[in-house]
Amino acid sequence: RKLLVACAAVAIGGAACIGVAFASQQHAPQPPTATASEPLPAAPAPLHAMPSGSLPNAPGSAVPASPSATLVAPRSAPTELSIPAIGVHASFVQLGLNADGSIQVPNDVTHVGWYALGPSPGQLGPAVVLGHVDSAKNGAGVFFRLGAVKDGDAVDVTLADGAMVAFTIYAVRAYSKDDFPTDVVYGNTAGPELRLITCGGRFDKASGHYLSNVVAFARATPH
Protein backbone atom coordinates (compact mmCIF):
# COMPACT_ATOMS: atom_id res chain seq x y z
CA ARG A 1 0.00 0.00 0.00
CA LYS A 2 1.38 3.37 -0.97
CA LEU A 3 1.93 5.79 1.86
CA LEU A 4 -0.25 8.90 1.80
CA VAL A 5 1.46 12.13 2.82
CA ALA A 6 -0.55 13.92 5.50
CA CYS A 7 -0.53 17.70 5.67
CA ALA A 8 1.48 18.48 8.76
CA ALA A 9 0.49 22.14 8.84
CA VAL A 10 -3.23 21.79 9.59
CA ALA A 11 -3.54 18.44 11.35
CA ILE A 12 -3.74 19.84 14.88
CA GLY A 13 -6.22 22.68 14.88
CA GLY A 14 -8.60 21.82 12.06
CA ALA A 15 -10.70 24.85 11.16
CA ALA A 16 -9.03 26.88 13.91
CA CYS A 17 -5.77 26.59 12.00
CA ILE A 18 -7.11 28.09 8.79
CA GLY A 19 -6.80 31.78 9.64
CA VAL A 20 -3.17 31.77 10.72
CA ALA A 21 -2.16 29.22 8.12
CA PHE A 22 -3.76 31.21 5.32
CA ALA A 23 -2.12 34.43 6.49
CA SER A 24 1.34 33.03 7.13
CA GLN A 25 1.87 30.44 4.41
CA GLN A 26 2.61 33.16 1.83
CA HIS A 27 5.67 34.10 3.85
CA ALA A 28 7.09 30.60 4.29
CA PRO A 29 9.98 30.11 1.84
CA GLN A 30 9.07 27.91 -1.09
CA PRO A 31 11.22 26.10 -3.66
CA PRO A 32 10.70 27.28 -7.24
CA THR A 33 7.72 25.46 -8.70
CA ALA A 34 9.75 24.61 -11.80
CA THR A 35 11.96 22.28 -9.77
CA ALA A 36 9.07 19.88 -9.16
CA SER A 37 9.45 18.49 -12.68
CA GLU A 38 13.25 18.34 -12.64
CA PRO A 39 14.96 14.99 -12.04
CA LEU A 40 16.88 14.65 -8.80
CA PRO A 41 20.68 14.87 -8.95
CA ALA A 42 22.34 11.55 -9.59
CA ALA A 43 23.52 9.64 -6.56
CA PRO A 44 27.19 8.83 -6.04
CA ALA A 45 28.42 5.26 -6.40
CA PRO A 46 25.99 2.94 -4.55
CA LEU A 47 26.93 1.70 -1.12
CA HIS A 48 24.64 -1.31 -1.36
CA ALA A 49 21.40 -2.14 -3.13
CA MET A 50 18.13 -2.34 -1.21
CA PRO A 51 15.44 -4.95 -1.91
CA SER A 52 12.73 -4.02 -4.37
CA GLY A 53 9.53 -2.42 -3.07
CA SER A 54 7.99 1.02 -2.67
CA LEU A 55 8.82 1.69 0.98
CA PRO A 56 10.81 -0.12 3.68
CA ASN A 57 8.22 -1.01 6.31
CA ALA A 58 9.75 -2.86 9.22
CA PRO A 59 12.72 -2.59 11.54
CA GLY A 60 15.57 -4.67 10.19
CA SER A 61 14.00 -4.95 6.73
CA ALA A 62 16.96 -3.40 4.89
CA VAL A 63 19.61 -5.56 3.29
CA PRO A 64 22.72 -5.73 5.54
CA ALA A 65 25.42 -3.36 4.40
CA SER A 66 28.58 -4.57 2.74
CA PRO A 67 31.87 -3.99 4.60
CA SER A 68 32.61 -1.03 2.33
CA ALA A 69 29.36 0.74 3.24
CA THR A 70 30.97 2.71 6.04
CA LEU A 71 28.23 5.35 6.19
CA VAL A 72 25.52 2.88 7.19
CA ALA A 73 24.60 3.10 10.89
CA PRO A 74 22.87 0.46 13.06
CA ARG A 75 19.18 0.97 13.64
CA SER A 76 18.59 3.47 16.43
CA ALA A 77 15.75 5.91 17.04
CA PRO A 78 16.61 9.56 16.32
CA THR A 79 16.46 11.99 19.23
CA GLU A 80 17.66 15.38 17.92
CA LEU A 81 17.64 17.13 14.53
CA SER A 82 19.85 20.09 13.63
CA ILE A 83 19.71 22.15 10.41
CA PRO A 84 21.88 25.19 11.19
CA ALA A 85 21.19 26.97 7.87
CA ILE A 86 17.52 27.47 8.78
CA GLY A 87 17.86 27.57 12.56
CA VAL A 88 16.29 24.17 13.28
CA HIS A 89 17.21 22.42 16.53
CA ALA A 90 14.40 20.04 17.48
CA SER A 91 13.62 16.85 19.33
CA PHE A 92 11.97 13.83 17.70
CA VAL A 93 8.74 12.00 18.36
CA GLN A 94 7.97 8.65 16.74
CA LEU A 95 5.20 8.35 14.15
CA GLY A 96 3.21 5.46 12.69
CA LEU A 97 0.18 5.23 10.41
CA ASN A 98 -3.38 6.39 10.88
CA ALA A 99 -6.30 4.03 10.28
CA ASP A 100 -6.69 5.35 6.71
CA GLY A 101 -3.06 4.56 5.87
CA SER A 102 -1.83 8.16 6.05
CA ILE A 103 1.26 8.91 8.07
CA GLN A 104 0.79 10.44 11.50
CA VAL A 105 2.11 13.93 12.26
CA PRO A 106 3.61 15.43 15.45
CA ASN A 107 1.16 16.74 18.04
CA ASP A 108 2.85 20.14 18.27
CA VAL A 109 4.81 22.51 16.07
CA THR A 110 8.08 22.37 17.99
CA HIS A 111 8.92 18.68 17.47
CA VAL A 112 9.79 16.76 14.33
CA GLY A 113 8.43 13.28 13.77
CA TRP A 114 10.24 10.19 12.51
CA TYR A 115 8.25 7.56 10.59
CA ALA A 116 9.28 4.63 12.77
CA LEU A 117 8.03 1.90 10.40
CA GLY A 118 10.76 2.80 7.94
CA PRO A 119 14.55 3.09 8.22
CA SER A 120 16.08 5.07 11.03
CA PRO A 121 18.44 7.89 9.99
CA GLY A 122 21.69 6.29 8.92
CA GLN A 123 20.16 2.97 7.84
CA LEU A 124 19.93 2.10 4.17
CA GLY A 125 16.97 3.78 2.54
CA PRO A 126 15.02 7.00 3.03
CA ALA A 127 14.34 7.90 6.68
CA VAL A 128 11.18 10.03 6.70
CA VAL A 129 10.94 13.11 8.95
CA LEU A 130 7.83 15.31 9.18
CA GLY A 131 7.40 18.74 10.75
CA HIS A 132 4.74 21.44 10.88
CA VAL A 133 5.02 24.61 8.87
CA ASP A 134 2.73 26.63 11.18
CA SER A 135 -0.30 26.50 13.47
CA ALA A 136 -3.08 28.78 14.65
CA LYS A 137 -1.94 28.71 18.27
CA ASN A 138 1.83 28.97 17.89
CA GLY A 139 2.48 30.55 14.50
CA ALA A 140 5.57 29.38 12.61
CA GLY A 141 6.43 25.72 13.06
CA VAL A 142 9.72 23.86 13.17
CA PHE A 143 9.82 23.45 9.37
CA PHE A 144 8.56 26.93 8.50
CA ARG A 145 11.80 27.64 6.61
CA LEU A 146 12.32 24.17 5.12
CA GLY A 147 11.72 25.54 1.63
CA ALA A 148 14.77 27.79 2.07
CA VAL A 149 17.35 25.01 2.46
CA LYS A 150 19.99 24.88 -0.26
CA ASP A 151 22.09 22.18 -1.87
CA GLY A 152 25.04 21.53 0.40
CA ASP A 153 23.35 22.54 3.67
CA ALA A 154 24.21 20.29 6.60
CA VAL A 155 21.69 18.19 8.54
CA ASP A 156 22.78 16.36 11.68
CA VAL A 157 20.75 13.68 13.45
CA THR A 158 21.61 12.43 16.93
CA LEU A 159 20.53 8.86 17.68
CA ALA A 160 19.42 7.18 20.89
CA ASP A 161 22.62 5.11 20.93
CA GLY A 162 24.67 8.33 21.16
CA ALA A 163 25.85 8.32 17.55
CA MET A 164 25.47 11.33 15.27
CA VAL A 165 24.71 10.88 11.57
CA ALA A 166 25.63 13.71 9.19
CA PHE A 167 23.62 14.40 6.03
CA THR A 168 23.90 16.93 3.23
CA ILE A 169 20.94 18.45 1.36
CA TYR A 170 21.09 17.72 -2.37
CA ALA A 171 17.64 18.84 -3.53
CA VAL A 172 14.47 20.57 -2.34
CA ARG A 173 11.20 20.28 -4.20
CA ALA A 174 7.57 21.40 -3.90
CA TYR A 175 5.10 18.78 -5.11
CA SER A 176 1.35 19.10 -5.58
CA LYS A 177 -0.46 16.76 -3.21
CA ASP A 178 -2.63 15.71 -6.16
CA ASP A 179 0.46 14.57 -8.06
CA PHE A 180 2.80 13.51 -5.27
CA PRO A 181 5.67 11.34 -6.63
CA THR A 182 5.53 8.53 -4.07
CA ASP A 183 8.24 6.45 -5.72
CA VAL A 184 10.63 9.39 -6.01
CA VAL A 185 10.24 10.40 -2.36
CA TYR A 186 9.95 6.98 -0.70
CA GLY A 187 11.64 4.69 -3.21
CA ASN A 188 14.77 2.65 -2.58
CA THR A 189 18.09 4.47 -2.36
CA ALA A 190 21.67 3.30 -2.75
CA GLY A 191 22.65 4.54 0.73
CA PRO A 192 21.26 6.23 3.84
CA GLU A 193 19.11 9.26 3.05
CA LEU A 194 16.64 11.63 4.70
CA ARG A 195 13.32 12.96 3.49
CA LEU A 196 12.32 16.13 5.37
CA ILE A 197 8.67 16.94 4.65
CA THR A 198 6.23 19.72 5.48
CA CYS A 199 3.31 21.52 3.84
CA GLY A 200 3.64 24.30 1.31
CA GLY A 201 2.25 26.00 -1.71
CA ARG A 202 -1.14 27.68 -1.74
CA PHE A 203 -3.50 27.31 1.20
CA ASP A 204 -7.02 26.31 0.14
CA LYS A 205 -9.60 27.95 2.41
CA ALA A 206 -12.39 25.67 1.21
CA SER A 207 -10.66 22.41 2.14
CA GLY A 208 -8.57 23.76 5.01
CA HIS A 209 -5.38 22.27 3.56
CA TYR A 210 -2.21 23.36 1.84
CA LEU A 211 -2.14 22.08 -1.72
CA SER A 212 1.51 21.03 -1.85
CA ASN A 213 4.26 19.37 0.13
CA VAL A 214 7.81 20.68 0.44
CA VAL A 215 10.36 17.85 0.43
CA ALA A 216 14.06 18.26 1.18
CA PHE A 217 16.30 15.37 0.08
CA ALA A 218 19.56 14.64 1.94
CA ARG A 219 22.29 11.98 1.75
CA ALA A 220 24.53 10.67 4.51
CA THR A 221 28.05 12.11 4.43
CA PRO A 222 31.21 11.35 6.37
CA HIS A 223 31.79 13.38 9.54
Side-chain angles (χ1 to χ4, degrees), residues 19-157:
V20 168
F22 181 68
S24 67
Q25 65 87 22
Q26 299 175 31
H27 305 293
Q30 300 293 313
T33 54
T35 64
S37 60
E38 293 179 5
L40 296 174
L47 297 177
H48 198 288
M50 287 191 65
S52 60
S54 60
L55 181 70
N57 283 320
S61 62
V63 170
S66 66
S68 62
T70 56
L71 296 180
V72 178
R75 184 173 181 84
S76 182
T79 58
E80 300 288 335
L81 176 73
S82 175
I83 313 175
I86 57 171
V88 170
H89 300 280
S91 299
F92 277 92
V93 295
Q94 295 191 21
L95 306 174
L97 294 176
N98 297 309
D100 64 358
S102 62
I103 194 170
Q104 296 172 339
V105 296
N107 289 327
D108 64 72
V109 301
T110 63
H111 290 84
V112 290
W114 164 55
Y115 176 62
L117 300 180
S120 64
Q123 283 194 301
L124 289 174
V128 177
V129 178
L130 297 182
H132 295 269
V133 66
D134 58 19
S135 80
K137 182 178 180 180
N138 297 300
V142 64
F143 275 172
F144 185 78
R145 291 185 51 78
L146 185 65
V149 295
K150 305 295 185 184
D151 295 359
D153 284 348
V155 181
D156 294 328
V157 179

Side-chain angles (χ1 to χ4, degrees), residues 31-40 172-176 179-181 184 212-213 217:
T33 54
T35 64
S37 60
E38 293 179 5
L40 296 174
V172 57
R173 300 285 188 266
Y175 297 116
S176 168
D179 192 27
F180 190 83
V184 171
S212 300
N213 284 109
F217 297 78

